[in-house]
Amino acid sequence: MTTSTGQDRPGAELVTWLAALRTLSAEASAETDLPEVLCLVADTARTLLGFDFCGVLIPNTDRDRLLVQGWSGLSEEYVRRVNSDRAIRLDSGSPSSQAFHRGEPVAIRDVRVEPEFALWAGVARDQGYRAIVAVPLVAGTEVLGTLNGYYASVHTFTRYEIERLILLANHAAIAVTSARRLDELRTMTGSLREQRDALARSEQIHERLLAVTLRSGGIGGIAAALSDLIGRAVLIDDARQVELARAGDDIEFPSAAIRSGIPDDDSTATVVPVRDAEGAATGWLVANVRLGHEVAARIWFPGAVGALDALQVRAVEHASIVVSVELLREQTAAEVERRLRGELLADVLTGGASLSPQLLERAQRLGHDLTVAHVAIVATVTGPGEAALRRAWQRALAVVTQLASAFAPRPLVATHGGALVVLWPDTAAADEPPGVLVHRVMARVAPEITATVAVSDSQPAGGGESYRIAKGALDIALQAGRTGTVVTLDDLGIVGLLLQLDDPVKLTAFAGRTLGPLLDYDADHRTELMSTLRTYFACKQDRSATAAALVVHPNTVAQRLRRIEHLCAVDLADPGVTTQFSAALMVHDIAARR
């Protein structure tokens, strides 16, 4: 193969060169992609300088190797191998690496006898070249890559050949720089366009989800909209794994027990994969919905994080925000409703037997009919830990309120006097006694919480008297250690009858006549005759058991009992006296609670 020497027709060669360089510059300044420009550089070099093959090598993004990015005459297999298993590392002794680092041409007359070319000898033989020259592509102070020429036969490169290749390489470097800048500009423009479109789509997503809230679509509407946006079934539950809504395909979501085992994720990731105990992915994704620093709800849907595109992730982000807004709105509305019902209950309980028309009208607006007979239900919860107990009270009020909402006329539910109070109308028929229903839902609030419920008999319209009776029954039950159950007046026997007496003056007078001497003596001498007598009856008049309960000597108990008999002029062995004093103690306790 021969190359042009430039001595036969210099004018024609100059025209050819100028035309080729003009074409190269035009393509670099047009909308031609960078890989096409690099291939044009290789084609131009091969045409003008007579090489059998040409290649343009550019560093990879890690700048640790040179990759063939443009070529002319080289086979696809050669390019693939040089770019993979026969990689031209920048720290190697290849002619391309040396030219790149030195910034000057490197030529090899015969690659088969060059030791440092041994790694590429096989691919060179397969491609069919023996000689190679690599010239750096220099733009200013930056080396962009190398322009390589290959001959099929052994070839000694002259200074004139190399100078012409350098001249072409310099023009090619300018073209590559222009093409690269245009390529970067196109990429930036495309990225900005994508961001603009994503922002517009994101705004549409937000507006769609927000519109659900504005038209009072609730959590269910948000779930339906999100399911449509991400193309997956969606389940939303609260912090106690109570399902709030679901939408989309009818699939089996993880059970509440499994969902409760997912720890709160404090990471900034919006969507996280659900993993099992061994840390393996379960095929479910979850997004937390936060109110302040607490997780108020979670959004569940199937899939893997990588399967969601940016807009789907954005849809979940917006949905979590809108769900939090909806939860806050519901909480605010519920809080206002609780306050109104609490004020109503307080006025009812202090309004006497006859309620005013204004009070009845207020109740009617809230869905309550206080003109019918009611039973009063008074309940409390006990358990370890102040924080846990506070949450239990909040939850108990919520679940009993939800229970009451299913009946008409609606029972009035509120807190009063440190207890949860329900005025349950007789006309709100239920399959089970109301007290049992209330106790059941309260007992499920938390495993460590104990719920105790007391129920009055049906009382005429009003509520103050029935509340007083039920509250007294609850206090007596708690004092006796009867917790975690439903207490009725029948369960309390004579105490239940005494609670229904509506004359506290008579009760107090009866207790005063019987126990007055003991009360006065304890007050004057700071003794414990009353507590001794109460414990004595609680221990079935067993003096040894009484002493053990009071942590005193049996002789001390005997002395106190003799003192009681002396002060009251009675014989505690007399069954009639026992009945009288037992009743008096009950009346004293009941009267003290009125």
Side-chain angles (χ1 to χ4, degrees):
M1 178 177 292
T2 61
T3 61
S4 173
T5 63
Q7 297 175 353
D8 299 329
R9 298 177 59 193
E13 183 183 17
L14 180 60
V15 170
T16 301
W17 271 70
L18 290 176
L21 295 178
R22 183 168 57 250
T23 300
L24 186 59
S25 298
E27 290 295 327
S29 302
E31 294 188 1
T32 308
D33 292 337
L34 180 60
E36 294 182 31
V37 172
L38 296 179
C39 287
L40 180 60
V41 169
D43 274 335
T44 302
R46 186 182 177 200
T47 300
L48 293 179
L49 300 176
F51 290 114
D52 293 311
F53 318 104
C54 273
V56 179
L57 283 68
I58 303 294
N60 63 353
T61 54
D62 294 333
R63 298 189 69 82
D64 61 354
R65 63 181 62 187
L66 291 170
L67 301 178
V68 180
Q69 300 279 33
W71 61 91
S72 177
L74 296 173
S75 68
E76 296 284 348
E77 177 64 16
Y78 175 83
V79 172
R80 184 190 66 78
R81 294 197 63 187
V82 170
N83 287 347
S84 57
D85 60 307
R86 289 296 182 268
I88 302 174
R89 297 190 60 84
L90 282 173
D91 57 0
S92 68
S94 71
S96 302
S97 300
Q98 294 182 54
F100 183 86
H101 284 302
R102 296 176 186 174
E104 58 186 32
V106 175
I108 298 179
R109 179 175 180 275
D110 186 358
V111 297
R112 295 184 183 179
V113 298
E114 179 62 42
E116 291 191 8
F117 202 81
L119 179 63
W120 301 277
V123 292
R125 182 175 57 254
D126 294 341
Q127 178 60 49
Y129 67 82
R130 296 285 295 271
I132 179 175
V133 60
V135 176
L137 295 171
V138 181
T141 59
E142 181 185 5
V143 178
L144 305 178
T146 64
L147 173 59
N148 292 5
Y150 309 88
Y151 282 120
S153 59
V154 175
H155 183 84
T156 300
F157 292 92
T158 66
R159 184 172 62 84
Y160 179 67
E161 288 178 303
I162 292 176
E163 286 178 351
R164 290 204 303 168
L165 185 57
I166 291 174
L167 176 63
L168 179 59
N170 290 338
H171 284 280
I174 297 173
V176 169
T177 300
S178 299
R180 176 182 289 179
R181 296 289 182 266
L182 287 173
D183 200 50
E184 291 173 351
L185 183 59
R186 282 192 294 269
T187 301
M188 184 180 300
T189 302
S191 176
L192 290 174
R193 186 179 295 111
E194 290 177 359
Q195 292 180 35
R196 181 202 63 192
D197 294 343
L199 186 61
R201 179 61 177 151
S202 176
E203 185 68 21
Q204 293 172 0
I205 290 172
H206 181 71
E207 290 177 355
R208 178 175 177 181
L209 291 170
L210 189 59
V212 174
T213 298
L214 294 177
R215 65 172 181 264
S216 300
I219 303 295
I222 298 172
L226 178 60
S227 175
D228 183 52
L229 287 168
I230 66 175
R232 301 160 190 264
V234 169
L235 180 143
I236 303 176
D237 64 0
D238 65 13
R240 294 172 295 275
Q241 290 71 55
V242 176
E243 182 177 321
L244 302 178
R246 69 167 64 200
D249 296 336
D250 186 14
I251 64 175
E252 184 176 351
F253 282 89
S255 66
I258 295 176
R259 299 200 306 272
S260 65
I262 304 301
D264 291 348
D265 195 323
D266 294 329
S267 70
T268 57
T270 303
V271 179
V272 295
V274 179
R275 303 189 180 278
D276 59 21
E278 286 72 35
T282 61
W284 293 97
L285 299 172
V286 63
N288 289 333
V289 177
R290 295 184 179 274
L291 280 179
H293 298 292
E294 295 185 356
V295 175
R298 286 189 173 99
I299 303 173
W300 302 80
F301 47 94
V305 174
L308 296 178
D309 60 31
L311 283 177
Q312 288 176 320
V313 173
R314 187 66 59 86
V316 176
E317 291 175 351
H318 283 304
S320 65
I321 294 173
V322 176
V323 169
S324 68
V325 171
E326 181 65 18
L327 289 175
L328 184 60
R329 186 189 66 79
E330 291 180 356
Q331 287 183 7
T332 302
E335 183 60 35
V336 171
E337 187 175 302
R338 283 195 294 268
R339 180 176 57 80
L340 292 175
R341 288 196 165 91
E343 293 173 352
L344 174 64
L345 179 66
D347 291 343
V348 168
L349 298 184
T350 58
S354 178
L355 302 180
S356 68
Q358 293 81 4
L359 197 57
L360 294 174
E361 184 180 353
R362 281 172 55 196
Q364 192 69 39
R365 286 198 298 267
L366 292 173
H368 309 295
D369 184 1
L370 299 182
T371 64
V372 300
H374 286 69
V375 296
I377 302 171
V378 182
T380 189
V381 291
T382 55
E386 182 178 347
L389 198 56
R390 183 170 58 253
R391 289 193 298 268
W393 270 112
Q394 294 172 349
R395 180 62 180 157
L397 179 58
V399 296
V400 175
T401 300
Q402 183 178 11
L403 169 69
S405 66
F407 293 89
R410 182 172 179 169
L412 175 57
V413 181
T415 55
H416 182 79
L420 191 150
V421 180
V422 184
L423 296 184
W424 195 290
D426 289 350
T427 53
D431 295 335
E432 296 180 88
V436 173
L437 295 177
V438 171
H439 180 265
R440 180 180 298 138
V441 296
M442 291 183 64
R444 295 173 180 169
V445 165
E448 70 276 10
I449 295 300
T450 300
T452 306
V453 174
V455 186
S456 74
D457 288 340
S458 179
Q459 298 288 331
E465 182 64 16
S466 58
Y467 164 74
R468 179 190 63 77
I469 294 171
K471 182 65 165 61
L474 179 65
D475 290 342
I476 294 294
L478 293 176
Q479 181 176 313
R482 295 182 59 180
T483 59
T485 187
V486 179
V487 179
T488 65
L489 297 182
D490 290 341
D491 296 330
L492 298 179
I494 188 173
V495 175
L497 293 175
L498 293 173
L499 282 170
Q500 297 179 70
L501 294 178
D502 59 0
D503 191 344
V505 176
K506 293 180 180 180
L507 286 175
T508 304
F510 169 71
R513 286 195 304 271
T514 305
L515 303 174
L518 305 183
L519 293 168
D520 293 340
Y521 192 87
D522 278 348
D524 293 340
H525 299 85
R526 297 184 180 180
T527 53
E528 299 179 4
L529 298 182
M530 282 288 291
S531 63
T532 300
L533 183 62
R534 184 180 285 107
T535 306
Y536 178 62
F537 286 136
C539 293
K540 300 180 180 180
Q541 297 175 280
D542 184 330
R543 296 189 179 189
S544 297
T546 303
L550 295 174
V551 195
V552 297
H553 195 276
N555 290 340
T556 302
V557 173
Q559 292 172 3
R560 291 179 182 178
L561 293 177
R562 286 195 296 271
R563 175 71 64 183
I564 291 171
E565 290 177 329
H566 173 73
L567 291 172
C568 298
V570 296
D571 181 2
L572 293 177
D574 186 340
V577 172
T578 299
T579 301
Q580 178 186 356
F581 273 77
S582 295
L585 285 171
M586 294 179 188
V587 169
H588 178 268
D589 292 338
I590 294 168
R593 290 178 171 81
R594 287 177 174 266

